[in-house]
Amino acid sequence: MKSDVIIIENKKRNIDIIKNLIYEELGRKNTSVHLGLNVEKILYIVKNNYIDLIILNLDSNLEDIFKILDKINYLINKREFNIPIIVYSNSFNKDTVEKLFELGAIDYFIDPLSSDEKLSVLSFKIKNALKNYKYNKYQLKINNENKKQLKLGTILQKSLMFKYKELQNIKITGRYIPSTALGGDCYDSIETNGKTWFMIADVMGHGASAAMVSFMVKALFNQLATMYKTPKKLLEEINTTYYKMFENKSDIIFSIFIGTIYKNKLTYSSAGHPYPIFYDNETNNTEFLSNNNILIGITPNSNFSQKTRIINKGDIVFLYTDGLYEQIPDMRDINLINMYIQNNKDILITNQELFMDNIIKQFNDTEQFEDDVAILAVKKK
């Protein structure tokens, strides 16, 4: 790989010394050494090459060296990494040195030195500067690759979170907002054996590990829902399977709520998840679907309870993760969600999509969520 170095120096003897050190370190064939004789040339070189190192004599006859460094910084900041700059001078001034380091200098030494001293000092400083620079470039490459992978993962995750699903007797509306590129909240719904199954889960943590667990939760839900008849049994099997997969080596636990609708019967079970809110279309009232069980992944053989109730045409189950009500300190209370639903029933009944968008805005006063948010509205037709 070709390397480019700029030398800003007036004295030929110093230029020759620095050139030879650069060639020894990087190789003559793969290295271009540019002489910064004036401002225009220096900026042209920086703009049109990926510079690996700048060696600068502060006593060069260039006007306003600080402005030059400032312009160099402007150019290189567009490329996301800084060029190492080694500076030397015949004298020392504390304010000058501090300003130089603010503008990107990584090393400074006082000249004049004897030829042997200069060779030794410059050789060490050049090797150290290039070593750190190569490491930073490598880290940048890794970070950029990680960003690409995260972006791909985000696209995949969002594609798995439907916004709308129309089933035979059920209409489901969902919204998912990760706090980072990847998050741990998820929801899903399937129909099997005449039943409509739905779930919402909140995996502890953020990022790739939480997202991977959420993928696994969705997969387990879809697979096991075809094998088990009740939410209680399904939760117990998910817990046992998840615990055995990691052999108690994972510290990632999660809450999950699972419900089924069969004809006019709603059956549900929860593993530590915030209580969903049930809207009763006949009475025009709301109530919490309370059910207390342990989180998934804590013990291998947890027993879960479940509850049932009647669900009629027009009734709605509203589910959410705790990220919805933990965004604003004064609103960290699920009763406020219930109150919001009571005050906005007409929108919830007639336009679930609009209701979803409105409640997210109501409970978040910033553009970025501190925690993942998933919400789901399940309406009986």
Side-chain angles (χ1 to χ4, degrees):
M1 183 180 293
K2 180 177 174 291
S3 299
D4 290 270
V5 178
I6 298 177
I7 301 174
I8 304 174
E9 169 64 78
N10 294 324
K11 297 177 181 179
K12 185 178 183 303
R13 179 171 171 274
N14 285 342
I15 291 173
D16 291 339
I17 290 174
I18 295 170
K19 269 189 175 183
N20 288 332
L21 289 172
I22 293 295
Y23 290 145
E24 285 180 13
E25 182 65 26
L26 298 175
R28 186 179 294 269
K29 289 183 179 180
N30 299 321
T31 307
S32 295
V33 176
H34 309 273
L35 298 182
L37 302 179
N38 55 62
V39 176
E40 291 74 18
K41 184 173 181 180
I42 292 170
L43 296 179
Y44 177 83
I45 295 168
V46 173
K47 187 176 181 179
N48 292 281
N49 298 274
Y50 282 88
I51 305 301
D52 296 276
L53 178 65
I54 296 175
I55 301 176
L56 164 65
N57 184 348
L58 195 60
D59 304 314
S60 301
N61 296 326
L62 292 173
E63 294 182 6
D64 205 339
I65 197 71
F66 294 131
K67 283 188 177 181
I68 295 173
L69 292 178
D70 195 47
K71 289 180 180 179
I72 289 174
N73 274 320
Y74 173 76
L75 292 173
I76 64 178
N77 282 340
K78 292 183 176 181
R79 299 177 182 174
E80 298 182 316
F81 57 89
N82 295 326
I83 301 171
I85 303 172
I86 298 173
V87 183
Y88 59 95
S89 175
N90 287 326
S91 59
F92 176 82
N93 180 282
K94 181 182 177 183
D95 293 337
T96 299
V97 173
E98 288 180 353
K99 183 67 173 176
L100 286 167
F101 279 96
E102 287 177 5
L103 291 171
I106 65 165
D107 213 337
Y108 180 91
F109 69 94
I110 298 175
D111 204 32
L113 299 171
S114 69
S115 296
D116 290 341
E117 288 173 333
K118 186 171 291 186
L119 282 170
S120 177
V121 169
L122 266 175
S123 176
F124 171 78
K125 292 183 181 298
I126 289 170
K127 287 180 180 180
N128 190 53
L130 291 172
K131 180 180 179 181
N132 289 333
Y133 183 62
K134 289 176 181 178
Y135 175 77
N136 291 336
K137 285 181 72 175
Y138 172 75
Q139 286 296 112
L140 178 65
K141 181 180 178 181
I142 296 299
N143 290 339
N144 286 337
E145 184 61 31
N146 288 338
K147 287 179 182 178
K148 290 180 182 178
Q149 296 298 324
L150 284 173
K151 185 177 180 180
L152 180 61
T154 301
I155 294 171
L156 174 61
Q157 188 172 39
K158 287 184 176 181
S159 71
L160 296 174
M161 301 291 186
F162 61 84
K163 287 189 174 183
Y164 181 82
K165 183 182 282 190
E166 192 89 26
L167 302 176
Q168 185 174 357
N169 296 306
I170 303 293
K171 175 186 175 182
I172 304 178
T173 308
R175 290 290 185 275
Y176 170 67
I177 305 171
S179 61
T180 58
L182 291 170
D185 289 7
C186 63
Y187 55 78
D188 209 346
S189 175
I190 63 169
E191 280 188 329
T192 178
N193 299 323
K195 287 183 180 179
T196 298
W197 290 79
F198 58 93
M199 76 87 175
I200 189 168
D202 184 355
V203 178
M204 182 183 69
H206 312 286
S209 58
M212 292 301 294
V213 173
S214 74
F215 292 156
M216 187 189 68
V217 172
K218 285 171 66 72
L220 284 173
F221 169 77
N222 280 274
Q223 177 186 4
L224 298 176
T226 62
M227 303 166 58
Y228 292 87
K229 295 182 178 181
T230 65
K232 162 186 161 62
K233 291 296 183 182
L234 182 52
L235 276 183
E236 289 172 352
E237 185 59 30
I238 288 176
N239 180 71
T240 300
T241 302
Y242 179 75
Y243 193 92
K244 287 181 178 179
M245 285 178 67
F246 290 97
E247 296 180 348
N248 202 24
K249 294 178 182 178
S250 173
D251 59 355
I252 299 178
I253 56 178
F254 60 92
S255 68
I256 181 172
F257 179 98
I258 295 178
T260 64
I261 297 175
Y262 179 67
K263 296 183 179 180
N264 288 343
K265 182 180 179 182
L266 168 66
T267 306
Y268 60 92
S269 184
S270 174
H273 200 79
Y275 300 153
I277 297 169
F278 185 91
Y279 168 73
D280 190 315
N281 186 51
E282 182 178 353
T283 64
N284 201 32
N285 292 324
T286 61
E287 64 179 83
F288 287 110
L289 297 179
S290 61
N291 183 235
N292 296 314
N293 290 299
I294 195 170
L295 293 164
I296 298 294
I298 294 179
T299 61
N301 299 306
S302 298
N303 293 315
F304 294 88
S305 62
Q306 69 180 24
K307 293 183 178 181
T308 62
R309 66 153 295 145
I310 298 298
I311 183 168
N312 293 311
K313 181 179 180 180
D315 293 347
I316 298 172
V317 182
F318 181 75
L319 307 96
Y320 52 92
T321 56
D322 59 13
L324 177 63
Y325 60 87
E326 290 186 344
Q327 303 300 320
I328 303 175
D330 294 338
M331 301 183 74
R332 292 175 178 173
D333 186 348
I334 61 174
N335 289 297
L336 293 176
I337 298 178
N338 189 31
M339 188 181 302
Y340 182 85
I341 291 175
Q342 290 174 354
N343 294 332
N344 295 272
K345 294 173 185 174
D346 292 343
I347 301 176
L348 176 62
I349 295 166
T350 59
N351 192 334
Q352 287 83 51
E353 292 86 349
L354 179 59
F355 179 85
M356 294 288 196
D357 296 335
N358 288 348
I359 196 171
I360 288 172
K361 293 176 183 177
Q362 176 69 23
F363 282 85
N364 183 43
D365 58 357
T366 64
E367 293 183 1
Q368 180 65 44
F369 282 83
E370 293 182 7
D371 192 8
D372 309 328
V373 176
I375 52 179
L376 202 64
V378 181
K379 183 177 181 179
K380 181 79 161 59
K381 294 192 293 184

